[in-house]
Amino acid sequence: MNVRIEESWNTHLQAEWEKPYFSALTQFVHEEYAHAKVFPHPKQIFRAFDVCPFDEVKVVILGQDPYHGDNQANGLCFAVNEGVTLPPSLQNIFKEIESDLGRPVERSGDLERWARQGVLLLNATLTVRAHTAGSHQGKGWEEFTTAAVQALSDEREHLVFMLWGNYAKQKGSIIDRSKHLVLEAAHPSPFSAHNGFFGSKHFSQANAYLKKHGREEIEW
């Protein structure tokens, strides 16, 4: 199967293309785009991989679903298209960064500036039907994105994984914590951010870990 994804990721994930679940997933996604309104734009489905090649990943942030509102999803978890009102979770992420680092940061919602520095902004499910949260869960995307996390855990060293909320923490069970830093906290949603996301200081911890291992820090 010919999957249009960044070449280094294609190399590490090519075994997935021939598995039955991926064939079924591909058929499902094609039919959804043909008969319904689906986000993100087809060219942005693999954007998280395309802008952050395998060997350049430093930090992994795991989300769950793309945003299902109009003009929001852009292929990067928690991010929105330029000019779109910042969703509450992203606002809380910026609040925590500023509190953690003690200075203002750019509050542009697209987040490609992070991805270009080595932050893989990966949703567990890469597509969603418009205005229907969770509509593409359980169709195979989770298996595919787990394979991506597994490849990073197995084949890279000294990465930082930020796991926010129970869903992300469960996906983190496959990460080799003897050679990677795994940071866990509540989800940044307004419903849970005060239960441990605020004050978690993940962003300064990530940079300290990267610096310790001779890697350039992220300009959050």
Side-chain angles (χ1 to χ4, degrees):
M1 184 179 296
N2 181 27
V3 179
R4 293 181 181 177
I5 193 171
E6 192 274 333
E7 188 53 41
S8 66
W9 281 105
N10 184 47
T11 299
H12 287 89
L13 295 174
Q14 58 186 347
E16 303 304 305
W17 312 148
E18 306 308 322
K19 292 181 179 179
Y21 88 86
F22 198 83
S23 296
L25 170 63
T26 300
Q27 183 176 351
F28 167 77
V29 170
H30 281 164
E31 290 177 357
E32 281 286 282
Y33 273 98
H35 299 107
K37 191 174 185 180
V38 177
F39 300 128
H41 187 281
K43 291 183 179 179
Q44 294 183 319
I45 292 174
F46 295 112
R47 186 181 177 207
F49 301 99
D50 293 337
V51 296
C52 190
F54 185 87
D55 292 326
E56 295 178 19
V57 175
K58 301 177 187 174
V59 178
V60 180
I61 297 178
L62 290 177
Q64 189 165 350
D65 271 9
Y67 295 119
H68 56 83
D70 292 330
N71 300 316
Q72 289 185 303
N74 65 11
L76 306 178
C77 76
F78 293 106
V80 289
N81 286 316
E82 209 61 58
V84 174
T85 300
L86 301 182
S89 291
L90 185 53
Q91 291 185 42
N92 286 339
I93 289 169
F94 288 143
K95 286 179 185 175
E96 172 58 21
I97 294 173
E98 292 182 344
S99 172
D100 184 8
L101 304 184
R103 57 174 174 78
V105 296
E106 182 181 346
R107 287 197 173 213
S108 166
D110 180 74
L111 302 186
E112 185 171 318
R113 63 191 181 280
W114 294 0
R116 295 289 181 190
Q117 297 177 73
V119 182
L120 181 67
L121 295 160
L122 183 63
N123 276 316
T125 303
L126 299 187
T127 55
V128 68
R129 187 181 282 213
H131 316 302
T132 313
S135 50
H136 286 189
Q137 291 179 7
K139 303 297 184 182
W141 278 131
E142 295 91 341
E143 187 170 346
F144 170 71
T145 53
T146 292
V149 173
Q150 186 79 68
L152 287 168
S153 176
D154 292 349
E155 300 175 42
R156 295 288 312 280
E157 289 187 336
H158 309 314
L159 302 183
V160 181
F161 291 84
M162 295 185 182
L163 310 180
W164 302 332
N166 291 332
Y167 189 89
K169 291 174 187 176
Q170 290 169 9
K171 206 170 184 71
S173 63
I174 61 173
I175 299 166
D176 184 346
R177 298 174 188 230
S178 70
K179 62 175 183 173
H180 302 290
L181 176 64
V182 178
L183 301 173
E184 298 185 354
H187 194 277
S189 159
F191 300 106
S192 55
H194 290 281
N195 294 329
F197 178 76
F198 288 138
S200 60
K201 299 189 180 299
H202 282 186
F203 303 94
S204 60
Q205 289 184 67
N207 277 352
Y209 183 82
L210 292 172
K211 187 175 181 180
K212 175 184 175 182
H213 292 284
R215 308 203 68 189
E216 193 171 342
E217 299 170 69
I218 304 298
E219 183 64 37
W220 295 108

